[in-house]
């Protein structure tokens, strides 16, 4: 019986919770369904898709779910059929206790757009419980002097069912002296009272045995019985009486154990043993016996267990005062438990949407509900999140809230947010609950690759080995994943004369640049092009940078003598008058070097002469002058060997052979006569005339040499074209080629064109003349900016 009474109290607690939740949902226009208790798992309650006017596919698309209040989930929503099914058997007595009707509240949560639909399910009671008495046997003592109409309270029975299936009335048999009257307490419980119909006579019948029956109204009805044993007492005509028939007291739920909450008092006008009073609990439940202790002598009621308003907020305690003669009086003590703020708010997350795209606006990040078991201001709660986050908190239906992004996010600035939800009640002191959710921001391709430099300048020594790594360009992308994967490429050049694809290749993955063939400073001193960096996003974004390649000169060209010409069929002879003074300008050697800088600085040196000491050469300008006066003993014909050397490392040189013929008649008209005194002013005029004639001769010879060289060059090209075209390999060199020489330059001083013979008979190679760069540079487009050593370039074939 005590276990059943405890179960009944727990059911009353569940009842109070659902009554509170049901009240909060009132007026929401909810749809109510009904189901009888004890239905099996999977029982069909209703087709929500039909009731909501939605297609079954739409329920799945909107991620519909049934949410029950609290931690228990009683329902399941099938996305395949739209049916609302039971997850487990429902026991109405366990869920609602004596509350009628028994209503369970639940919500249908729909996404995209977010929508809450409140519904109710009424659990209908069936007659599955029979009435039960707390005591199967009762013993009463009745004075024989008790007049007819005396009322004797009896122990009540409990029926866990409600309504018509609950306890309806009591009967007693036999009815020779008593009948039973059914009474109702303020809490709705029905209890029996035994009413004396006619006077008792102890001498005639000292004891009576009655059967008390409790009946419910079910179909078929159920019943429970208890045996009542009545002892007829001798006269003790005054029963104890309490000063109050009803005591009411309010106790804080945090009151300490052992404290006295109230004292009851009764008196008896009888004397002696008939007037001695003792106090006892009358038909107390197991919960009351665990919570309170009654002093049988003083009537003090003490706490033996801490009170919990959220579990039980009201106790109704019946106390009986008995005297020594067996008479008793009864009173009732109502203990109201006063709520204190001892329960922090509870936060329940329904859904979390993570990650979210960084370009999405006003996206629902999380849905959660808040509840507090306390009452009044102690049960009211406020919610908040951090103010420095791009999210806002919005209240939804009832106690549900949503967290929504305030605008578009930037993953590159912040890829993760920790949102702390703070829930604080209004009690004193205020209690707070915090919950942190992590929201990841997914990347979209909103950042183009960025080069580390807007332009790159690379230096390459001429005569480099093919497939030489000359530099690396680099770009970064603030995005992530494939949006940050960068591919490098060469962009088309606007210079039609620059065959970029045959000069440079780029590694698409790491941006390494390679020179595909050997570069020649004399042919191409500098060139520039654009490279592009493209990511793998959709749509792909790209950027470009300028790459300038400067070819560094190497001393790979020997000096070339323009005057006197060395390839003529007959040696060139200079005439020297025998009357020439020391320092007389015999001729001037003119030479050039296709290199630049100090590789093109030329110096002249006399290596060998027929008459040593007769001639000298100026080292910097190549002027050949007489070193002394000529004599009759000097040979008429002289052969001079001159060396022209550049200033490279290692130096290169060319030799010049000069023939000088001593004559008398060539210079006689200009020689001073021994017998006639010469005018000094006339000598200066003659010297000026000689210099003008010499310079004109040198310029004419230089121009003639240039024209001759150009003609020979054009003739050779025409001849090579008539022999058949050469196939020059194009395209990129393999990326695995390396410079095996280790020096970074070509091991030969010349580059040759190789072509196959036109016929298919021999299959031999023809090695043509060395390929020498063009005669002149093609303007300033191929000139290195800021180079202080630019010279006119000439070609030796």
């Amino acid at each position: 019986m005590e276990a059943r009474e405890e179960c009944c109290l727990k059911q009353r607690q569940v009842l109070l919770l659902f009554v509170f939740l049901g009240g909060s949902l009132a007026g929401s226009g909810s749809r109510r369904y009904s189901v009888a208790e004890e239905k099996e798992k999977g029982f069909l309650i209703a087709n929500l898709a039909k009731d909501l006017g939605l297609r079954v596919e739409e329920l799945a698309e909107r991620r519909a779910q049934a949410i029950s209040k609290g931690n228990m989930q009683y329902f399941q929503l099938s996305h395949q059929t739209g049916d609302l099914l039971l997850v487990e058997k429902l026991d109405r007595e366990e869920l609602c206790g004596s509350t009628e009707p028994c209503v369970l509240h639940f919500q249908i949560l729909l996404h995209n757009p977010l929508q809450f639909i409140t519904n109710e399910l009424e659990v209908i009671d069936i007659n599955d419980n029979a009435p039960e008495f707390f005591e199967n046997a009762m013993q009463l003592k009745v004075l024989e002097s008790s007049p007819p109409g005396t009322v004797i309270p009896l122990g009540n029975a409990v029926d866990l069912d409600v309504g018509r299936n609950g306890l309806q009335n009591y009967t007693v048999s036999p009815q020779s002296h008593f009948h039973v009257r059914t009474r109702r307490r303020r809490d709705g419980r029905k209890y029996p009272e035994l009413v004396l119909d006619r006077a008792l006579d102890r001498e005639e019948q000292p004891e009576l045995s009655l059967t008390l029956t409790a009946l419910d109204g079910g179909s078929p009805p159920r019943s429970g019985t208890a045996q009542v044993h009545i002892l007829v007492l001798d006269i003790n005509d005054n029963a104890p009486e309490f000063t109050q028939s009803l005591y009411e007291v309010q106790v804080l739920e945090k009151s300490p154990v052992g404290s006295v909450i109230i004292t009851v008092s009764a008196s008896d006008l009888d004397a002696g043993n008939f007037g001695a009073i003792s106090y006892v609990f009358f038909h107390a439940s197991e919960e009351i016996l665990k919570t309170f202790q009654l002093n049988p002598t003083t009537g003090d009621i003490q706490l033996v267990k801490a009170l919990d308003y959220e579990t039980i907020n009201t106790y109704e305690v019946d106390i009986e005062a008995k005297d020594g003669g067996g008479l008793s009086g009864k009173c009732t003590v109502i203990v109201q438990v006063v709520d204190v703020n001892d329960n922090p708010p509870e936060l329940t997350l329904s859904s979390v949407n993570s990650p979210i795209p960084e370009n999405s606006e006003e996206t629902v990040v999380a849905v959660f509900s808040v509840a507090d078991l306390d009452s009044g201001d102690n049960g009211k709660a406020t919610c908040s999140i951090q103010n420095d986050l791009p999210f806002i908190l919005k209240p939804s239906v009832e106690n549900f809230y949503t967290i929504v992004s305030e605008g578009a996010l930037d993953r590159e600035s912040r890829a993760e947010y920790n949102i702390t939800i703070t829930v604080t009640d209004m009690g004193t002191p205020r209690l707070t609950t915090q919950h942190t959710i992590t929201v990841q921001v997914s990347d979209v391709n909103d950042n183009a690759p960025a080069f580390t430099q807007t332009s790159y300048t690379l230096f390459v020594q001429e005569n480099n080995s093919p497939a030489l790594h000359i530099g690396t360009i680099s770009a970064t992308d603030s995005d992530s994943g494939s949006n940050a994967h960068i591919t490098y490429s060469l962009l088309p050049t606007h210079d039609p004369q620059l065959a970029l694809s045959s000069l440079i290749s780029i590694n698409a993955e790491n941006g390494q640049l390679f020179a595909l063939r050997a570069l020649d400073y004399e042919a191409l001193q500098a060139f520039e092009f654009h490279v592009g960096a493209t990511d793998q996003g959709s749509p792909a974004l790209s950027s470009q940078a300028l790459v300038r390649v400067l070819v560094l000169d190497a001393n790979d060209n020997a000096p070339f003598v323009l005057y006197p010409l060395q390839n003529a069929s007959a040696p060139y002879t200079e005439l020297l008058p025998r009357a020439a003074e020391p320092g007389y300008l015999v001729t001037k050697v003119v030479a050039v070097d296709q290199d630049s800088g100090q590789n093109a600085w030329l110096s002249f040196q006399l290596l060998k002469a027929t008459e040593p000491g007769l001639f000298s050469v100026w080292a910097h300008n190549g002027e050949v002058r007489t070193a002394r006066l000529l004599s009759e003993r000097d040979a008429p014909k002289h052969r001079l060997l001159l060396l022209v050397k550049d200033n490279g490392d290692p130096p290169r040189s060319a030799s010049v052979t000069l023939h000088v013929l001593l004559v008398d008649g060539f210079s006689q008209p200009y020689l001073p006569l021994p017998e006639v005194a010469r005018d000094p002013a006339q000598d200066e005029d003659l010297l000026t005339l000689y210099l003008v004639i010499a310079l004109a001769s040198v310029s004419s010879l230089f121009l003639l040499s240039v024209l001759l060289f150009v003609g020979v060059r054009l003739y050779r090209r025409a001849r090579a074209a008539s022999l058949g075209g050469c196939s020059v390999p194009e395209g990129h060199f393999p990326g695995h080629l390396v410079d095996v020489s280790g020096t970074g330059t070509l091991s030969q001083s010349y580059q040759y064109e190789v072509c196959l013979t036109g016929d298919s008979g021999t299959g031999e190679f023809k090695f043509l003349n060395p390929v020498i760069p063009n005669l002149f540079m093609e303007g300033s487009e191929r000139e290195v900016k800021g180079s202080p050593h630019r010279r006119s370039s000439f070609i030796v074939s």
Side-chain angles (χ1 to χ4, degrees):
M1 292 297 291
E2 292 179 353
R4 297 290 294 180
E5 187 176 359
E6 180 182 4
C7 177
C8 180
L9 290 174
K10 291 183 179 179
Q11 292 166 359
R12 277 190 231 131
Q13 298 166 17
V14 176
L15 166 65
L16 291 174
L17 175 61
F18 277 93
V19 169
F20 172 76
L21 294 177
S24 65
L25 292 173
S28 61
S30 61
R31 185 184 299 272
R32 173 172 289 193
Y33 302 93
S34 62
V35 62
E37 64 173 326
E38 302 298 330
K39 291 295 184 182
E40 293 296 329
K41 174 181 178 182
F43 179 79
L44 173 62
I45 299 174
N47 187 281
L48 284 183
K50 180 178 178 181
D51 292 344
L52 298 178
L54 300 176
R55 294 178 292 103
V56 175
E57 295 79 8
E58 190 174 357
L59 285 179
E61 292 172 358
R62 296 184 65 182
R63 294 181 291 163
Q65 62 181 110
I67 302 175
S68 302
K69 290 194 174 182
N71 297 324
M72 295 297 296
Q73 291 295 329
Y74 302 108
F75 316 104
Q76 178 181 359
L77 180 58
S78 173
H79 287 173
Q80 287 74 25
T81 62
D83 293 335
L84 183 65
L85 307 175
L86 283 179
V87 175
E88 61 181 8
K89 280 186 178 182
L90 298 181
D91 187 351
R92 194 209 65 79
E93 289 74 23
E94 181 180 353
L95 293 174
C96 301
S98 60
T99 301
E100 180 67 15
C102 179
V103 178
L104 300 181
H105 299 273
F106 65 98
Q107 288 82 26
I108 302 300
L109 174 61
L110 300 175
H111 296 266
N112 301 323
L114 183 65
Q115 184 179 1
F116 289 87
I117 301 174
T118 303
N119 297 277
E120 299 176 350
L121 177 67
E122 180 180 358
V123 182
I124 300 174
D125 183 49
I126 62 175
N127 192 22
D128 57 342
N129 292 282
E132 290 183 11
F133 286 91
F134 289 107
E135 296 178 358
N136 293 327
M138 306 178 199
Q139 186 171 358
L140 302 178
K141 295 179 180 181
V142 182
L143 290 173
E144 64 176 341
S145 61
S146 298
T150 300
V151 176
I152 304 171
L154 299 174
N156 64 292
V158 174
D159 193 338
L160 297 180
D161 295 324
V162 295
R164 189 172 183 84
N165 295 327
L167 179 64
Q168 298 297 319
N169 55 32
Y170 297 88
T171 62
V172 65
S173 62
Q175 299 182 353
S176 57
H177 291 82
F178 299 91
H179 75 272
V180 69
R181 183 168 59 191
T182 302
R183 303 295 298 272
R184 182 185 297 269
R185 297 178 184 269
R186 288 186 301 174
D187 59 1
R189 291 185 298 167
K190 295 180 179 180
Y191 65 94
E193 289 183 344
L194 196 61
V195 180
L196 183 62
D197 291 333
R198 62 189 182 89
L200 299 174
D201 187 356
R202 180 181 176 278
E203 287 69 24
E204 179 181 351
Q205 191 175 3
E207 295 182 359
L208 295 174
S209 293
L210 306 177
T211 301
L212 180 63
T213 303
L215 297 171
D216 64 16
S219 179
R222 292 175 177 265
S223 62
T225 60
Q227 297 298 318
V228 180
H229 185 68
I230 301 176
L231 296 178
V232 181
L233 301 180
D234 199 9
I235 294 177
N236 178 20
D237 53 349
N238 290 288
E241 293 185 2
F242 284 93
T243 56
Q244 296 177 230
S245 61
L246 178 66
Y247 293 83
E248 293 183 347
V249 63
Q250 292 184 339
V251 183
L252 294 177
E253 63 175 326
K254 65 178 181 180
S255 297
V257 174
S259 60
V260 177
I261 61 172
I262 195 172
T263 300
V264 295
S265 176
S267 61
D268 194 325
L269 297 179
D270 293 326
N273 189 40
F274 290 145
I277 299 175
S278 62
Y279 302 95
V280 294
F281 288 119
F282 182 75
H283 299 306
S285 65
E286 184 178 353
E287 183 65 31
I288 291 177
L289 295 176
K290 289 181 178 179
T291 306
F292 304 102
Q293 178 179 322
L294 178 61
N295 190 311
T297 304
T298 63
D300 293 339
I301 300 177
Q302 290 179 308
L303 286 178
V304 293
K305 190 180 81 168
L307 301 176
D308 187 0
Y309 175 87
E310 289 71 36
T311 304
I312 301 176
N313 55 17
T314 302
Y315 294 89
E316 185 174 347
V317 183
D318 292 331
I319 298 177
E320 184 181 34
K322 292 183 178 182
D323 61 16
L327 299 181
S328 64
K330 187 172 72 70
C331 74
T332 301
V333 178
I334 304 297
V335 180
Q336 296 284 347
V337 181
V338 180
D339 183 39
V340 296
N341 194 26
D342 58 346
N343 290 282
E346 296 179 356
L347 186 150
T348 305
L349 276 174
S350 297
S351 66
V352 177
N353 184 18
S354 178
I356 59 175
E358 61 177 321
N359 61 350
S360 60
E361 297 184 3
E362 295 189 0
T363 301
V364 176
V365 174
V367 179
F368 65 93
S369 60
V370 174
D372 195 318
L373 297 178
D374 294 321
S375 62
D377 290 340
N378 297 333
K380 297 178 182 179
T382 60
C383 297
S384 64
I385 60 175
Q386 303 100 303
N387 294 325
D388 57 346
L389 297 181
F391 301 95
I392 55 177
L393 182 65
K394 291 184 177 181
S396 187
V397 297
E398 298 179 12
N399 56 345
F400 279 86
Y401 295 84
T402 59
I403 299 177
V404 182
S405 60
E406 196 169 13
L409 305 177
D410 186 7
R411 190 205 64 82
E412 289 69 39
S413 300
R414 189 167 180 180
E416 180 180 287
Y417 292 90
N418 290 321
I419 304 175
T420 300
I421 306 170
T422 303
V423 184
T424 305
D425 62 22
M426 306 300 292
T428 302
R430 296 193 174 187
L431 300 180
T432 299
T433 298
Q434 288 187 335
H435 186 84
T436 300
I437 62 175
T438 300
V439 178
Q440 304 285 344
V441 182
S442 61
D443 185 49
V444 297
N445 193 26
D446 56 349
N447 291 279
F451 283 94
T452 56
Q453 302 173 220
T454 56
S455 64
Y456 297 82
T457 301
L458 306 178
F459 297 91
V460 184
Q461 189 78 25
E462 68 170 329
N463 301 324
N464 59 283
S465 60
L468 175 66
H469 176 221
I470 61 175
T472 302
I473 54 106
S474 177
T476 58
D477 196 314
S478 301
D479 295 320
S480 65
S482 61
N483 295 331
H485 187 270
I486 298 176
T487 301
Y488 301 93
S489 62
L490 298 176
L491 300 181
T493 178
H494 299 293
D495 186 358
Q497 298 181 357
L498 180 62
L500 184 63
S501 61
S502 64
L503 291 176
I504 298 296
S505 70
I506 188 171
N507 188 314
E509 295 298 326
N510 55 28
Q512 292 182 346
L513 292 170
F514 298 90
L516 295 180
R517 61 180 176 85
L519 301 178
D520 188 358
Y521 174 84
E522 289 70 36
L524 184 62
Q525 296 181 1
F527 61 94
E528 58 185 30
F529 54 91
H530 286 86
V531 294
T534 306
D535 59 29
Q536 301 294 318
S538 179
L541 301 179
S542 63
S543 60
Q544 62 182 18
L546 176 67
V547 178
R548 184 177 295 106
V549 179
L550 302 180
V551 183
L552 302 179
D553 183 46
N555 192 26
D556 58 344
N557 292 282
F560 177 69
V561 178
L562 296 176
Y563 179 84
L565 291 176
Q566 298 298 299
N567 58 349
S569 58
Y572 190 84
T573 303
E574 295 285 349
L575 301 179
L576 175 63
R578 286 186 177 273
E581 296 290 333
Y584 178 82
L585 178 62
V586 177
T587 186
K588 182 175 182 179
V589 177
V590 180
V592 294
D593 195 315
Q594 296 183 39
D595 297 320
S596 64
Q598 67 178 8
N599 294 331
W601 297 349
L602 301 181
S603 61
F604 301 85
Q605 180 182 356
L606 180 60
L607 292 181
K608 185 177 181 182
T610 304
E611 187 69 33
L614 180 58
F615 300 96
S616 65
V617 178
W618 286 27
H620 298 294
N621 58 11
E623 293 179 352
V624 180
R625 295 178 179 271
T626 58
R628 60 179 174 82
L629 289 173
L630 298 174
S631 65
E632 294 297 333
R633 294 192 302 270
D634 292 329
K637 185 176 182 181
H638 293 265
R639 181 177 180 273
L640 304 179
L641 180 62
L642 283 74
L643 179 67
V644 183
K645 182 173 65 173
D646 60 25
N647 197 35
D649 184 21
R652 292 179 178 270
S653 61
S655 61
V656 181
T657 301
L658 182 65
H659 295 272
V660 179
L661 182 63
L662 302 183
V663 296
D664 293 329
F666 172 78
S667 58
Q668 289 300 325
Y670 306 98
L671 294 177
L673 297 176
E675 64 274 12
V676 180
R678 291 181 298 180
D679 186 4
Q682 184 179 3
D683 290 342
E684 293 178 1
D685 293 340
L686 290 175
L687 181 59
T688 301
L689 179 61
Y690 292 156
L691 291 175
V692 171
I693 294 172
L695 289 175
S697 301
V698 170
S699 299
S700 300
L701 291 174
F702 171 75
L703 181 60
L704 179 61
S705 300
V706 171
L707 293 176
L708 180 61
F709 173 78
V710 172
V712 172
R713 185 65 177 168
L714 293 176
Y715 170 75
R716 289 183 176 178
R717 286 189 177 179
R719 183 180 179 185
S722 64
L723 291 177
C726 293
S727 176
V728 180
E730 296 182 353
H732 298 287
F733 280 81
H736 61 273
L737 293 179
V738 296
D739 180 15
V740 297
S741 64
T743 62
T745 60
L746 295 177
S747 58
Q748 291 82 17
S749 300
Y750 297 92
Q751 178 182 358
Y752 290 86
E753 291 180 350
V754 182
C755 66
L756 298 174
T757 59
D759 59 343
S760 59
T762 61
E764 297 179 350
F765 290 94
K766 291 185 178 181
F767 293 86
L768 305 180
N769 290 333
V771 177
I772 306 299
N774 294 332
L775 181 60
F776 297 99
M777 299 299 293
E778 297 178 359
S780 60
E781 292 181 355
R782 298 186 181 179
E783 182 177 278
V784 180
K785 293 182 180 180
S787 173
H789 308 300
R790 184 186 182 279
R791 300 172 57 92
S792 298
S793 300
F794 299 92
I795 302 176
V796 179
S797 61

